[in-house]
Amino acid sequence: MISEKMLNAINEQIKLEFESSYAYIAMEAYFMGKNLNGFANFFHVQAQEERDHAYLLFNYAYSVGGDVVLKDLAAFDSNFKDEIDIFEKTLAHEQLVTRSIHNLMTIAIEEKDYATQNFLQWFVKEQVEEEDTANGLLEQIKLVNGNPNGLFMMNKELAARTYTPAVIK
Ligand SMILES: [Fe+2]
Ligand SMILES: [Fe+2]
């Protein structure tokens, strides 16, 4: 049985993962509007993964006897200045999610909830990857600096990203 404090924190994280999904859909829309379909594909896949993260937490809550409470989602400010702005916001958002996951882990440790600590390890690792990817793409888009050839190349590269459902083994 999970503590109320732990369950509340998990419910907050479910909201944040769905908000992440929504944020990446906003970015997908920006690139669709610019006919940069490779970039749009990257964020489409990203949004699908965030939905998976929400469902991993959703299913975990039920597996430990908790109930999920779906909260209102905050809209993401989608007034993007340019491509660099988008990748800066992506990195900042992932850093926010990392802090939130670490906060969940702190609660699990305080509560001596070993099952949740074990479950959260996957998210801790995932956030290292998420920040690394966001950081790499931010560096790349800064190098491109609006150059059409660079954007074309990067668009082609990002078009190759495929979706693999997230599973915790
Ligand atoms: Fe996530
Ligand atoms: Fe993420």
Side-chain angles (χ1 to χ4, degrees):
M1 192 66 195
I2 193 165
S3 78
E4 205 180 318
K5 188 177 179 188
M6 192 74 255
L7 183 63
N8 285 343
I10 287 175
N11 273 314
E12 282 300 325
Q13 188 65 31
I14 290 172
K15 166 180 149 75
L16 184 57
E17 298 292 347
F18 277 124
E19 282 175 350
S20 303
S21 188
Y22 205 30
Y24 292 135
I25 293 170
M27 295 177 189
E28 178 187 0
Y30 172 91
F31 286 114
M32 287 299 282
K34 295 213 155 210
N35 288 317
L36 287 167
N37 293 355
F39 282 88
N41 171 65
F42 174 86
F43 284 106
H44 183 78
V45 172
Q46 191 68 20
Q48 282 174 300
E49 286 191 2
E50 300 300 353
R51 189 176 176 277
D52 286 352
H53 297 167
Y55 269 103
L56 289 172
L57 291 150
F58 181 103
N59 289 327
Y60 179 73
Y62 283 106
S63 73
V64 290
D67 254 323
V68 169
V69 180
L70 293 172
K71 297 162 192 291
D72 287 352
L73 302 186
F76 193 79
D77 177 13
S78 54
N79 287 315
F80 303 118
K81 214 170 76 206
D82 52 25
E83 290 80 20
I84 292 176
D85 184 37
I86 286 201
F87 285 99
E88 278 172 347
K89 282 178 176 156
T90 298
L91 179 60
H93 187 77
E94 289 301 335
Q95 288 167 337
L96 169 85
V97 174
T98 301
R99 286 196 295 276
S100 182
I101 291 290
H102 290 180
N103 181 49
L104 282 186
M105 186 61 102
T106 302
I107 296 171
I109 291 166
E110 283 168 0
E111 304 271 303
K112 295 189 169 60
D113 182 342
Y114 302 111
T116 303
Q117 287 175 39
N118 184 53
F119 168 75
L120 288 172
Q121 282 301 340
W122 185 91
F123 283 86
V124 172
K125 188 165 166 275
E126 172 70 10
Q127 282 314 115
V128 173
E129 281 174 34
E130 291 279 70
E131 284 195 34
D132 186 41
T133 303
N135 205 32
L137 290 172
L138 176 59
E139 291 303 314
Q140 214 177 322
I141 200 77
K142 277 183 180 167
L143 278 176
V144 166
N145 198 20
N147 175 281
N149 289 335
L151 279 176
F152 177 79
M153 293 289 291
M154 212 172 150
N155 187 60
K156 214 171 145 183
E157 199 182 300
L158 294 177
R161 185 181 186 191
T162 54
Y163 167 65
T164 323
V167 276
I168 296 180
K169 287 178 198 99

